[in-house]
Amino acid sequence: MEIKWENIDELEDYQITYLLYKESLNVNQIAKVRNMSPQEIADHLIKVQIEKREEERKKDSLEIYLTFNKEERLEFLEGMDSDEIMYFTRKMLRLIPIEKDIRNIMILAWTAGELADDEFLEFLEELINHENDDVRKVANSAIKKIKNKSKEADKNKKEKKLEENIPINLNEKNFDNNNEKKDELQSFLGLDKNKRLDFLDRLKPEKMIYFKRKVYKRILTEYNTDDLIVLIWTTGELKDENFLKILHNLTEHRNSDVRRITYSAIRKIGSPKSREVLELGLLDSNPQTRQYCAKALLKVGNRHSLNILRNLYRARQGVEKDYVLRAYREAIIELEKSV
């Protein structure tokens, strides 16, 4: 259920607190209005944030892809290397059984055709009996693309074997290709921190643009948590605001370590565009994340940020980690000078 004033009769107590917070009331003001303690109000806000993460999770890479128009999707797919295609295919196969939105189903079916991977055939064959005409058309088109690609691949393999004068096994369906060169980004992910920093320092401007694109696309398709964390860390070292859209979405990730390193990267980029995201991060369940957000708001915060920090500093005395309270206090002192 959406938390809004129109649904107030159906809202829980802590959700009403959140609505007042969204109206720009601070913790103390809400406490007076609701006749509660500041601690209770802070707990309400934390509960809403946890609930939002549980119910909505984050907009992951594939969900971002689903918002692209056709030209953007084509550009994205054309720019992927074999590793990225593999990761993206796995993401699609995980989403397909649970996706209900007709538009997204059509995009997934269209994408299956563009990737021409026969792993999608079962999904597409189910769609050819779908009640929606457009869905059936897209599914049939995708199936044709996959089968045509398969026939063309078989033909090319047979021709290559003939050229090499190698006997053809007519019953052979798959041929191994283990000679694929290891991707540069994949090698980067295997380096330790100091070597990654050295690598980034040595990148020339024209190569840097290409590398940033590779990082962005890999984040969209990465399913391995350890590699995802390295990729997010890299965006912070690159300090490019073009990563903010995807980083803001990653602050809703269910893994606390992913959220923590995401907020760290956002702090390093240091853009005022992240202010609202950082304010919400002050309510994150991970104390180090709360610390990072306070440190970031020290530089990009405004008066609203200052009010939130003041209220949290007062409300969390005795229950918050000392290093987090210290970060709150430092941010408060700096913001009081500038806003």
Side-chain angles (χ1 to χ4, degrees), residues 132-150:
N132 184 291
D133 285 342
D134 291 330
V135 171
R136 293 199 300 271
K137 289 176 184 176
V138 173
N140 277 306
S141 173
I143 289 171
K144 288 179 182 177
K145 288 180 180 180
I146 292 173
K147 290 185 175 178
N148 287 340
K149 178 80 175 288
S150 180

Side-chain angles (χ1 to χ4, degrees), residues 113-126:
E114 295 302 311
L115 294 176
D117 190 325
D118 58 12
E119 286 194 72
F120 294 113
L121 281 175
E122 183 178 352
F123 156 64
L124 294 169
E125 285 165 356
E126 289 179 4

Side-chain angles (χ1 to χ4, degrees), residues 53-300:
R53 287 199 175 100
E54 287 297 320
E55 291 179 354
E56 299 171 7
R57 294 183 182 267
K58 84 168 185 58
K59 270 193 172 182
D60 75 1
S61 59
L62 186 50
E63 288 172 356
I64 296 172
Y65 170 82
L66 292 172
T67 67
F68 290 169
N69 60 36
K70 183 178 179 180
E71 289 72 23
E72 290 171 330
R73 293 196 303 270
L74 282 170
E75 182 181 356
F76 175 82
L77 295 175
E78 288 171 1
M80 287 197 295
D81 60 30
S82 58
D83 283 336
E84 291 168 337
I85 290 172
M86 177 184 69
Y87 295 130
F88 195 68
T89 297
R90 290 177 183 175
K91 284 239 179 199
M92 286 182 61
L93 290 170
R94 287 199 296 270
L95 178 61
I96 281 167
I98 59 174
E99 183 57 63
K100 303 298 181 186
D101 183 86
I102 293 296
R103 177 183 178 276
N104 288 347
I105 290 172
M106 290 176 63
I107 292 174
L108 289 168
W110 174 87
T111 305
E114 295 302 311
L115 294 176
D117 190 325
D118 58 12
E119 286 194 72
F120 294 113
L121 281 175
E122 183 178 352
F123 156 64
L124 294 169
E125 285 165 356
E126 289 179 4
L127 292 184
I128 60 177
N129 296 315
H130 199 280
E131 59 186 14
N132 184 291
D133 285 342
D134 291 330
V135 171
R136 293 199 300 271
K137 289 176 184 176
V138 173
N140 277 306
S141 173
I143 289 171
K144 288 179 182 177
K145 288 180 180 180
I146 292 173
K147 290 185 175 178
N148 287 340
K149 178 80 175 288
S150 180
K151 289 178 183 177
E152 183 180 343
D154 287 343
K155 180 181 177 182
N156 289 339
K157 287 172 184 175
K158 291 174 183 177
E159 288 176 350
K160 185 177 180 180
K161 282 183 175 282
L162 283 171
E163 289 173 2
E164 295 173 351
N165 208 18
I166 301 173
I168 300 172
N169 180 355
L170 297 176
N171 294 318
E172 189 176 7
K173 294 181 179 178
N174 298 305
F175 299 94
D176 291 332
N177 181 11
N178 297 320
N179 297 321
E180 202 167 302
K181 195 173 181 180
K182 197 171 185 182
D183 179 78
E184 181 181 52
L185 181 55
Q186 187 63 40
S187 299
F188 173 82
L189 293 174
L191 300 176
D192 62 33
K193 182 179 178 180
N194 289 332
K195 289 181 179 178
R196 291 198 302 266
L197 287 170
D198 289 342
F199 175 90
L200 295 176
D201 287 340
R202 291 197 305 270
L203 278 178
K204 295 180 179 179
E206 63 274 11
K207 190 67 179 288
M208 177 66 79
I209 294 172
Y210 172 77
F211 185 74
K212 286 179 179 178
R213 289 175 179 168
K214 296 273 285 183
V215 170
Y216 188 94
K217 290 177 180 178
R218 181 64 176 267
I219 290 174
L220 286 174
T221 57
E222 186 56 66
Y223 70 95
N224 179 281
T225 301
D226 292 336
D227 286 348
L228 180 59
I229 285 173
V230 173
L231 290 164
I232 295 168
W233 171 87
T234 304
T235 67
E237 297 304 314
L238 294 172
K239 296 181 175 62
D240 190 328
E241 287 194 8
N242 288 317
F243 289 111
L244 286 179
K245 179 179 179 181
I246 194 170
L247 290 175
H248 289 171
N249 282 309
L250 283 168
T251 62
E252 296 292 336
H253 200 281
R254 63 183 176 273
N255 185 295
S256 64
D257 286 332
V258 171
R259 295 198 307 275
R260 175 180 56 79
I261 201 68
T262 298
Y263 277 112
S264 175
I266 291 171
R267 178 171 70 92
K268 289 177 181 177
I269 293 172
S271 170
K273 296 175 184 177
S274 302
R275 185 180 297 126
E276 185 176 346
V277 170
L278 291 165
E279 290 172 352
L280 286 173
L282 293 170
L283 303 175
D284 193 90
S285 60
N286 184 294
Q288 197 169 12
T289 293
R290 300 195 292 273
Q291 179 197 32
Y292 288 160
C293 290
K295 286 177 175 285
L297 287 168
L298 181 151
K299 295 183 178 179
V300 303

